[in-house]
Amino acid sequence: MTDSPSASSLIIGGAASSPRAPLPTLPPLALYIHIPWCVRKCPYCDFNSHTASPVLPEQEYVDALLADLDQDLHAVYGRELTSIFFGGGTPSLFSAEALGRLLQGVEQRIRFADDIEITLEANPGTFEQEKFVAYRKLGINRLSIGIQSFQQEKLEALGRIHNGDEAVRAAGMARQAGFDNFNLDLMHGLPDQSLDDALSDLRQAIALKPTHISWYQLTLEPNTVFWNQPPVLPEDDTLWDIQEAGQALLAEHGYAQYEVSAYAQAGRPARHNLNYWSFGDFIGIGAGAHGKLSHPDGRIVRTWKTRLPKDYLNPAKSFQAGEKSLSNDEMPFEFLMNALRLTAGVESRLYPERTGLSLDTLAEGRREAEQSGLLQVEPSRLAATERGQLFLNDLLQQFLN
C-alpha cells in the first residue's frame, strides 16, 4: 500500500479562505490489513516489513487486528466495505485458518458489499497449492504475486527467495486454485538490466495471462540496503527505452495503463487501487498501517498505526500512533496528488464531492497547468496530459503559491 506524502507545509492558492461544505455523500470504503513479516527483507524494500521468526504469532496478531478494527468502527458505522487488501510483508505466510478467522471477524463488524474484492499479496516462495485453494474458499478472490523478475541473476541481486521457475509455477497454481483474477508485480530498471532483459521479463509475464500487471521502475529509497550500498542501475537513456518499449508491448497485448505503474485487461483494474487514487476512504489496521476516513461534517482524517510488531502486540501500547485532520490548505494537493496518477484522471465533480471545497479553489492553478500543457483542457475532468504524467511533480507545482 503506498502512503501519501504529508502536505503539511504546502499552501494551495485560494484554499485557505474557502469554506468547506459538509460532504453530500461519503466515498466508497475499503480496508487495508498489514501483515508485517517476510521470510527475508529485500535490499530495496522500504515498506514496514520484518524478518519472520520460525513461528509466527498468528493467533495474537489476528486478535490485535480485530481489536484495532473495533477502535475504528465508530467512524464507519452503517457503511459497507467495497474492497479488502492484505498487504505486507508477505501475507501468504499466514495460514488459511488465521486469515479465515480474521475475515469472519471483519464481516461480523462491517457489512461486505455483494461484489467485494478481496486481494492477498503473495510471493512465489510461499506458494502451496493446498493453502491457496483454502484461501480461495475463504472468499479471497484476487491475488497479487510478487514476481519482480524471472531471471535468476536479477532475482539474486534483488534478494528474492524464489527462482524463475517458481515464479512461473506460482501463476499456474493461482489459476488452478480458482483465482481467475490476479496481478503480477514486476520491476524494471534492475541492476545491469538491458532493454532485452526487461522486455524478456515482460513477455514472460504476459504469457502467463494475468488480468493485471504492476510494472514499475526500481528506485533507491532511504533506509534500505540499496540506498547505503547502491547497485549499478541502467543509464537514463536505457530506462527511457525500457519504459517506451514496455508500454507499447503491454498495450499490444491488451493491458491498458490506468495508473502510473498499473496495467489491466478490460474491466480488470484493481478496485482497491482505484478507490485509493480517487480519494476514497480506507481503514488501515495492522502494524504501521495508514488510513483515511471522511466524516459527514466535512472532516477528513488520516491515521497511522504503531509501526513495530512487538509494540503493536503489546497490550500496554495504543494501536494508533497518530492522526491528522486535513486542513483546507492541504486538501487540494492531497486530492490531486492521488487523482492525477490515474491516466484518465477523475471527473471534476469528484473534487467538491470528496473534499467539500469548491472547484474555484483550483481555478488559478488549473489555468496555469492547462497553458503549460500539463493538464488537459477539459472542464468536466481533472486529468494530466501525456506530458503532465511524465512531469507530475511539475504539474502539482502549478497549484502552489
Side-chain angles (χ1 to χ4, degrees):
M1 179 74 163
T2 306
D3 297 329
S4 295
S6 170
S8 58
S9 62
L10 301 174
I11 306 298
I12 310 297
S17 59
S18 301
R20 193 190 306 175
L23 301 181
T25 57
L26 294 176
L29 178 66
L31 173 65
Y32 175 75
I33 302 172
H34 193 75
I35 310 290
W37 292 284
C38 283
V39 173
R40 183 169 62 202
K41 180 82 170 179
C42 295
Y44 58 85
C45 179
D46 69 334
F47 292 133
N48 185 31
S49 61
H50 306 265
T51 301
S53 58
V55 179
L56 288 173
E58 286 189 339
Q59 176 84 16
E60 297 89 341
Y61 197 70
V62 169
D63 288 343
L65 287 168
L66 292 174
D68 186 359
L69 180 59
D70 283 337
Q71 294 188 4
D72 287 337
L73 287 181
H74 69 279
V76 296
Y77 180 76
R79 300 171 70 178
E80 69 174 19
L81 287 176
T82 60
S83 68
I84 298 174
F85 194 100
F86 289 93
T90 306
S92 54
L93 290 178
F94 267 38
S95 67
E97 180 183 6
L99 295 187
R101 187 166 73 85
L102 175 56
L103 282 172
Q104 183 180 37
V106 172
E107 191 170 15
Q108 288 171 348
R109 290 160 170 81
I110 311 178
R111 184 174 68 253
F112 285 10
D114 292 339
D115 60 347
I116 189 170
E117 174 193 271
I118 305 178
T119 300
L120 178 80
E121 286 187 339
N123 285 331
T126 66
F127 258 80
E128 301 166 16
Q129 188 70 51
E130 185 177 342
K131 180 193 280 191
F132 281 82
V133 169
Y135 287 157
R136 185 65 188 90
K137 289 179 179 177
L138 295 177
I140 296 170
N141 51 23
R142 184 176 181 273
L143 291 180
S144 182
I145 306 173
I147 302 292
Q148 313 316 348
S149 177
F150 293 93
Q151 298 165 32
Q152 188 60 31
E153 179 186 350
K154 300 297 185 284
L155 289 169
E156 289 176 2
L158 293 173
R160 304 295 290 174
I161 64 171
H162 66 273
N163 59 40
D165 289 341
E166 287 175 318
V168 171
R169 285 199 299 271
M173 290 168 66
R175 191 171 279 109
Q176 290 170 19
F179 290 95
D180 62 356
N181 188 15
F182 65 92
N183 168 66
L184 296 183
D185 221 41
L186 205 63
M187 285 184 176
H188 61 87
L190 305 181
D192 298 314
Q193 188 178 50
S194 67
L195 172 61
D196 288 343
D197 288 339
L199 293 183
S200 174
D201 268 348
L202 205 47
R203 289 191 184 98
Q204 177 64 81
I206 290 169
L208 296 173
K209 302 187 186 315
T211 51
H212 189 286
I213 295 176
S214 297
W215 188 63
Y216 53 95
Q217 184 179 324
L218 171 65
T219 56
L220 305 185
E221 302 290 350
N223 302 314
T224 65
V225 172
F226 274 5
W227 180 264
N228 295 312
Q229 303 170 31
V232 177
L233 299 181
E235 296 182 353
D236 288 346
D237 287 348
T238 301
L239 292 173
W240 179 252
D241 291 343
I242 289 172
Q243 185 75 23
E244 282 198 316
Q247 288 182 332
L249 183 63
L250 286 161
E252 177 187 341
H253 287 85
Y255 291 91
Q257 184 180 16
Y258 70 94
E259 190 261 340
V260 170
S261 58
Y263 303 78
Q265 293 178 345
R268 292 295 198 166
R271 195 178 312 163
H272 190 87
N273 292 1
L274 284 175
N275 184 58
Y276 186 80
W277 298 123
S278 59
F279 214 53
D281 279 356
F282 53 98
I283 307 167
I285 60 173
H290 285 232
K292 174 244 171 188
L293 291 174
S294 304
H295 298 262
D297 61 6
R299 286 181 302 120
I300 296 177
V301 181
R302 289 200 180 277
T303 60
W304 53 97
K305 302 298 173 68
T306 297
R307 183 174 177 83
L308 293 177
K310 67 180 180 63
D311 292 335
Y312 185 82
L313 289 170
N314 184 345
K317 294 184 180 289
S318 172
F319 293 121
Q320 185 158 302
E323 69 171 41
K324 175 181 175 55
S325 292
L326 296 180
S327 69
N328 286 13
D329 295 339
E330 296 166 312
M331 200 73 71
F333 182 85
E334 287 271 342
F335 180 90
L336 292 170
M337 182 180 60
N338 288 280
L340 294 181
R341 286 182 63 95
L342 294 168
T343 54
V346 297
E347 293 184 36
S348 297
R349 63 171 177 78
L350 207 63
Y351 177 74
E353 286 181 9
R354 299 279 163 95
T355 68
L357 295 173
S358 166
L359 275 168
D360 291 342
T361 59
L362 299 179
E364 182 179 349
R366 196 172 182 178
R367 279 193 301 271
E368 292 176 359
E370 290 171 351
Q371 289 169 3
S372 62
L374 299 176
L375 195 70
Q376 293 182 22
V377 182
E378 191 175 346
S380 64
R381 295 198 72 78
L382 291 163
T385 61
E386 287 188 20
R387 182 166 176 266
Q389 290 169 18
L390 293 174
F391 300 100
L392 192 55
N393 288 338
D394 293 338
L395 170 52
L396 290 170
Q397 288 293 319
Q398 302 290 336
F399 294 89
L400 301 178
N401 272 341

